[in-house]
Amino acid sequence: MTSSLVRDKQFAGEVEEPSRWERLAIACGIGYGAIFFAGLAFLTFFVVPKFAPIDAPPEQHAAAWAEMGNLSAVASYLLTLQIPFLLLFLGGLYAVLRRAEGGSGALAVSAFGAGVAMAMIWPMGLLVAEIGTGVAVAGGDVVTAVEFDAMAPFSLALSAFPRAVLLFATSLVLLGSGLVGRWVCWLGFALALVSLLGTGMLVDGLVPFPISLLGTMLFVVWVLALSISLFRSAPKAESAR
């Protein structure tokens, strides 16, 4: 029904054309993915090997944080550096969804709001975790520092709630629009379910963490695919009139 409404408006000459800024905003999804995986690679190769085991005594955690120095802070910075690119991408995505949905654009607004919430929750958790690292290095209570450090994975799980809304709303609007391949939309539906499963961390501790992390990484891949698909379809939309 949505796609037929858009086609009717196209024939009537009422569909607004994508602007240059919208295309640039959509392309920011590629920058978001590149920076995210660069930060993840830095974390994986330079920081994670220095972590103490989860069940290690507090003193061992403190020694590991002291050995890391500023590496953890650099990794956190790289993982938060993607925020501006993601926010710009969300602005471009909102314009695409509003045009494709027609009417009140309720799903477009829901996707945009959910994306903004998701973009900020995990980075805030990373900053809180860095506070814990600072407490431990300064000689403070290590148990408190460990609890602070747990904010990073738990905030990642919390961000999966708005991520599921973003995935579902975007995929539902674009499924019949012809702007992207249908596989992108069906992958979005599947990742929305994976995201919800990852929120089990909030109940069952770190056991579902691999699901949460997998859902996060696949979401970034999905954004890359969506950004490239929408950017390539934009010239067609410009000539639709």
Side-chain angles (χ1 to χ4, degrees):
M1 183 176 180
T2 298
S3 57
S4 63
L5 177 62
V6 173
R7 284 195 296 270
D8 291 342
K9 287 188 175 183
Q10 285 177 342
F11 287 123
E14 299 176 6
V15 175
E16 56 187 280
E17 298 178 359
S19 69
R20 175 182 59 181
W21 301 115
E22 180 182 321
R23 296 190 67 213
L24 289 175
I26 288 296
C28 283
I30 301 173
Y32 159 70
I35 293 175
F36 177 90
F37 281 116
L40 189 63
F42 184 89
L43 178 70
T44 302
F45 292 108
F46 296 102
V47 179
V48 171
K50 297 182 181 298
F51 278 154
I54 295 177
D55 56 352
E59 294 75 15
Q60 190 172 342
H61 282 282
W65 282 320
E67 183 185 352
M68 273 186 233
N70 292 327
L71 289 178
S72 178
V74 172
S76 295
Y77 179 77
L78 290 175
L79 288 171
T80 55
L81 189 60
Q82 40 82 17
I83 295 176
F85 292 88
L86 179 56
L87 293 177
L88 286 169
F89 169 75
L90 291 171
L93 180 62
Y94 167 75
V96 172
L97 295 180
R98 181 176 58 84
R99 208 165 38 243
E101 183 182 358
S104 64
L107 289 176
V109 173
S110 297
F112 178 77
V116 172
M118 179 209 69
M120 299 308 299
I121 291 176
W122 187 40
M124 290 298 294
L126 289 173
L127 293 179
V128 172
E130 282 305 310
I131 293 175
T133 302
V135 169
V137 173
D141 182 58
V142 181
V143 175
T144 302
V146 170
E147 293 301 317
F148 270 115
D149 188 60
M151 282 298 298
F154 281 107
S155 62
L156 183 65
L158 181 61
S159 70
F161 281 116
R163 185 169 72 233
V165 174
L166 170 61
L167 286 161
F168 179 80
T170 300
S171 301
L172 190 61
V173 172
L174 294 180
L175 185 59
S177 68
L179 294 174
V180 299
R182 294 176 68 88
W183 68 269
V184 176
C185 301
W186 288 113
L187 177 60
F189 290 133
L191 291 181
L193 179 59
V194 173
S195 296
L196 291 177
L197 292 176
T199 61
M201 276 186 61
L202 302 175
V203 178
D204 200 19
L206 292 175
V207 174
F209 177 68
I211 299 176
S212 180
L213 183 59
L214 177 64
T216 300
M217 291 190 294
L218 290 180
F219 168 77
V220 180
V221 174
W222 179 82
V223 169
L224 284 169
L226 180 62
S227 178
I228 294 171
S229 298
L230 290 176
F231 187 82
R232 293 178 62 184
S233 68
K236 301 176 183 178
E238 290 175 356
S239 61
R241 297 182 62 178

